[in-house]
Amino acid sequence: MPENPIEEKANEIIEERLEEERKKEKWLFHVSFSIILMAVLGTIVAADSENSVTEAIILRNEAILLQDKATDMWNFFQAKSMREAGYRIANILNPRPEFEQEIERYKKEKKEIEQKAKLLEEQVTERIKESDRHYHKHHIFRMAGILVQVGIALSSVSALMKKKPVWYLAVSLAMGGLIVFSAALLQ
């Protein structure tokens, strides 16, 4: 016996609604899963950002220590120059071969000290450049992290409001964060 047309229509409406709810649940699953992925990405970005800034600080500290050593070398160089000058004056006032030997010895020692001091200064410059590079990378990582965090927040808002366009924007921002992060890694 054919069913009641009203009952048949009611069943259709119920089936349509159930299908709509299944689609919403599926979409919310995707939103939830994307939030988890964004959170993992955000954690990785934050960790790399912290590592980068830590490396920048360590390199800057090494540069300071090397600069102190270079300064000590230049002070040592000045002391040798003063002693050499004393022997030059003594040799002018009373020329003697041992004064000449001391003048030559101090010249040689000063040359060695100067080379060491310049090498230390080069190392200082290298450490500062490397520190600056890591610090710049840290800033890029922070920008990537902000994009991912905003993506997480907007994904949550999209789930609460049940607005797919907001979720699409959130995913786009998180992808932008991933791209910025990847570019920074390649530097």
Side-chain angles (χ1 to χ4, degrees):
M1 165 169 137
E3 285 189 37
N4 180 343
I6 294 175
E7 191 176 314
E8 195 174 298
K9 187 66 174 169
N11 284 337
E12 281 180 31
I13 292 171
I14 290 170
E15 281 300 315
E16 285 175 13
R17 289 292 172 123
L18 286 173
E19 185 60 30
E20 284 176 21
E21 288 303 314
R22 278 188 222 110
K23 285 181 182 177
K24 284 181 185 176
E25 284 180 26
K26 190 174 181 181
W27 176 73
L28 285 176
F29 171 79
H30 291 297
V31 171
S32 299
F33 191 72
S34 71
I35 291 172
I36 292 167
L37 291 177
M38 288 180 214
V40 170
L41 176 60
T43 301
I44 292 168
V45 169
D48 279 358
S49 177
E50 286 302 313
N51 288 342
S52 195
V53 77
T54 300
E55 188 65 25
I57 292 168
I58 289 169
L59 287 164
R60 191 61 63 139
N61 286 342
E62 287 177 7
I64 290 168
L65 293 173
L66 288 167
Q67 184 60 60
D68 285 347
K69 288 180 181 180
T71 300
D72 289 347
M73 279 290 149
W74 285 119
N75 288 338
F76 193 40
F77 179 88
Q78 288 296 333
K80 294 286 183 178
S81 295
M82 291 172 70
R83 287 187 178 157
E84 178 189 355
Y87 280 108
R88 283 186 187 282
I89 293 168
N91 197 38
I92 291 169
L93 297 175
N94 185 11
R96 299 171 85 176
E98 58 266 15
F99 291 160
E100 287 292 329
Q101 290 174 348
E102 286 299 305
I103 291 169
E104 288 306 312
R105 180 175 71 90
Y106 280 115
K107 277 185 187 179
K108 182 181 174 190
E109 287 176 0
K110 280 178 23 187
K111 196 173 261 189
E112 291 171 5
I113 293 168
E114 182 180 23
Q115 288 174 345
K116 288 178 184 176
K118 286 181 178 180
L119 179 64
L120 286 167
E121 286 178 340
E122 287 172 12
Q123 291 174 354
V124 168
T125 302
E126 289 170 15
R127 295 295 194 299
I128 289 172
K129 283 180 184 176
E130 189 66 13
S131 173
D132 289 344
R133 190 179 72 77
H134 280 284
Y135 198 64
H136 177 71
K137 214 174 182 180
H138 161 72
H139 285 294
I140 295 171
F141 286 154
R142 290 300 302 141
M143 285 187 283
I146 289 168
L147 289 171
V148 172
Q149 289 170 358
V150 171
I152 291 170
L154 285 177
S155 290
S156 299
V157 169
S158 75
L160 290 173
M161 295 175 54
K162 295 183 177 31
K163 300 283 185 186
K164 282 187 180 181
V166 176
W167 181 59
Y168 296 142
L169 174 61
V171 171
S172 297
L173 287 171
M175 290 302 291
L178 177 62
I179 290 167
V180 169
F181 175 65
S182 299
L185 286 176
L186 297 175
Q187 288 185 353

